[in-house]
Amino acid sequence: HGTDHLIPYAEGIKTIFTLHDLTPFSHRETHATLNRLYSRMMIPIFLRRADLIVTDSECTRQEMFRFFPHIPAEKTAVNHLGIADRFRPIDDRRETDLVRQKYGLPEKFFLYVGTIEPRKNITAIIQAFDRAQVKNAYLVIAGKRGWGSEPVFKLVEDLALEDRVFFPGFIDDRDLPTLYNLAEVFVYPSLFEGFGFPVLEAMACGTPTICSGISSLSEIAGKAAWFVDPLNVPGIADALQKFSRDPNLRSEYRLKGLEQAGRFSWRDTAVRTLQHYASLLG
């Protein structure tokens, strides 16, 4: 079972290939050159070789048919991923205060979590935050630097937002649920996602969520997130203003998010995976 865009050649052995996304084909500009070339060369081979292709979302499955229409539908399946139990609302003030102090976080902030790279559309978040002009609010961009991250930091300098945009870097896994809990709103206008873990994690923590209404995010978030066009900066800014001003709106999307996240579990993912194995083995 190849779970990370790689499946070794093994003659006479049944194989499953998990396809997480096809962004090297659909969004070439969001990948480093070597990664893009490797993926475009090898993924077609893996798809042809596998006895079963599993995608994380129906969106990715349909994207696969668009680029590889020869693949028979009966050779494919969708298996949504899960959410760990540790992503939940946290009421322990000592725990939240410790994480706030550890990363030097402000009192009221919008949050993005993920690698800082072009596909995540972080420059649009910064532009929208600057445009929204929400009083006494900050923006926290949490995650490690990826390739092509320089324009993000330059934009903060160009807009003179150094005192209002925080870059705490990579967040320890044990601190991540608390970080979501501390945020006023989670913002994720990604250009494309094969699944979208951060959106699901934020909702499981009860954090009102604004995200792109495209790719798998609309499938995963259902009606529990406020959807925006990732290329429409004024629209993202308007959403930030709405959520900042309206506590009832935040409460509404907090409850919606908790309910939606409750539909995803790793146990269900594991059960479906075992069913795939059983079907291949007869």
Side-chain angles (χ1 to χ4, degrees):
H1 184 175
T3 60
D4 192 19
H5 292 118
L6 177 66
I7 186 168
Y9 178 71
E11 187 175 357
I13 295 176
K14 297 286 186 180
T15 55
I16 296 177
F17 181 65
T18 295
L19 179 66
H20 297 293
D21 64 64
L22 279 165
T23 51
F25 295 82
S26 61
H27 295 74
R28 304 181 190 185
E29 72 284 356
T30 64
H31 285 269
T33 302
L34 286 178
N35 179 61
R36 183 178 69 249
L37 292 175
Y38 169 82
S39 297
R40 290 178 65 85
M41 178 176 66
M42 297 306 298
I43 284 180
I45 296 173
F46 298 148
L47 294 178
R48 183 173 64 251
R49 182 185 298 167
D51 294 288
L52 177 66
I53 302 163
V54 177
T55 62
D56 300 334
S57 64
E58 179 62 30
C59 172
T60 298
R61 182 170 176 265
Q62 294 303 320
E63 190 86 339
M64 177 183 65
F65 290 142
R66 182 164 75 90
F67 285 102
F68 305 100
H70 62 280
I71 294 177
E74 60 269 20
K75 184 182 170 177
T76 69
V78 175
N79 191 357
H80 285 155
L81 305 179
I83 182 74
D85 293 340
R86 61 193 178 88
F87 291 99
R88 55 181 174 75
I90 296 173
D91 298 322
D92 188 341
R93 183 63 183 267
R94 290 175 302 175
E95 183 175 344
T96 55
D97 284 347
L98 282 172
V99 170
R100 191 187 300 277
Q101 293 169 11
K102 178 178 179 179
Y103 295 99
L105 302 173
E107 188 67 28
K108 175 183 176 182
F109 62 89
F110 301 111
L111 173 67
Y112 161 85
V113 171
T115 304
I116 301 174
E117 61 181 8
R119 179 164 62 95
K120 303 301 183 178
N121 201 27
I122 298 168
T123 53
I125 303 176
I126 296 169
Q127 291 168 336
F129 173 72
D130 181 55
R131 185 184 181 99
Q133 291 295 304
V134 177
K135 189 177 180 180
N136 298 324
Y138 297 84
L139 174 62
V140 172
I141 299 173
K144 64 181 181 180
R145 294 191 184 206
W147 82 279
S149 62
E150 292 80 7
V152 170
F153 298 93
K154 185 176 187 306
L155 179 61
V156 171
E157 293 180 6
D158 291 345
L159 295 176
L161 291 174
E162 293 94 335
D163 294 335
R164 299 185 63 205
V165 179
F166 288 71
F167 293 95
F170 180 79
I171 305 297
D172 289 344
D173 283 348
R174 64 179 180 272
D175 297 330
L176 195 51
T178 309
L179 177 65
Y180 284 120
N181 273 267
L182 285 168
E184 181 124 317
V185 178
F186 181 66
V187 191
Y188 201 76
S190 176
L191 297 175
F192 190 90
E193 293 291 324
F195 185 72
F197 271 119
V199 166
L200 199 57
E201 292 169 353
M203 294 193 300
C205 292
T207 308
T209 297
I210 299 168
C211 71
S212 303
I214 61 174
S215 68
S216 67
L217 292 178
S218 59
E219 177 183 340
I220 301 306
K223 298 181 180 179
W226 184 283
F227 293 121
V228 293
D229 177 349
L231 301 180
N232 184 354
V233 170
I236 301 172
D238 183 59
L240 294 178
Q241 289 176 336
K242 281 185 169 69
F243 274 84
S244 181
R245 289 195 305 255
D246 193 342
N248 292 328
L249 187 65
R250 294 197 299 273
S251 179
E252 176 188 348
Y253 277 84
R254 168 184 167 83
L255 295 176
K256 285 182 176 180
L258 287 169
E259 181 180 355
Q260 178 69 6
R263 297 188 172 101
F264 295 81
S265 79
W266 281 118
R267 179 177 178 82
D268 290 344
T269 305
V271 168
R272 289 189 294 266
T273 301
L274 285 173
Q275 290 171 345
H276 295 327
Y277 293 168
S279 68
L280 278 185
L281 293 173

